[in-house]
Amino acid sequence: MARSAPATLPQRLRQRLATYRWRRVGVLAAISFVLSLSLILYLFGTSDRFLGRFTSAFFVGFCLLSVTFQVVIPFIGWATAHWFGKSWSGGSTPAPARRAAPPASRPPAARRSSTST
């Protein structure tokens, strides 16, 4: 059998981009768009460099959301599973130990009789 030639860089890049999660990127972009648009409109309105402010706010928000949801949160899940063990990250917690009922130290209070005069 003949061995196939290794894929070139552009071919590997195309394959990787084809399998990427584009829906997640679209959701993050939509959320960033709405948040930055509402923030810029609330603070400055549509006058005085609206498009520049909106563009910079969109990219800053998109980068922050992307790093948070695609890097930080998966890293926390990985770290808890690998550093603390699987039982710590998702295992069930043991049932609390049952305590014995405390001893009765006082007799029940006597009933008061109500008298009508």
Side-chain angles (χ1 to χ4, degrees):
M1 284 190 204
R3 191 172 208 187
S4 62
T8 63
L9 182 64
Q11 290 172 341
R12 287 184 301 191
L13 183 62
R14 269 190 236 114
Q15 288 173 350
R16 189 169 177 143
L17 287 176
T19 60
Y20 197 70
R21 300 179 197 145
W22 291 107
R23 184 175 181 174
R24 181 182 289 181
V25 173
V27 168
L28 290 174
I31 291 170
S32 179
F33 180 83
V34 169
L35 288 176
S36 59
L37 181 65
S38 61
L39 178 69
I40 297 299
L41 285 176
Y42 177 73
L43 291 176
F44 301 108
T46 57
S47 62
D48 197 27
R49 298 181 301 165
F50 168 75
L51 192 59
R53 285 183 177 145
F54 173 68
T55 304
S56 62
F58 170 76
F59 283 115
V60 167
F62 181 73
C63 290
L64 289 175
L65 287 174
S66 297
V67 167
T68 300
F69 288 109
Q70 293 185 359
V71 176
V72 174
I73 293 176
F75 173 75
I76 290 171
W78 176 86
T80 56
H82 286 80
W83 293 345
F84 301 114
K86 293 186 182 204
S87 63
W88 188 84
S89 65
S92 61
T93 58
R98 297 189 72 167
R99 295 185 192 176
S105 60
R106 295 188 294 178
R111 287 189 176 183
R112 292 185 185 177
S113 62
S114 59
T115 57
S116 310
T117 44

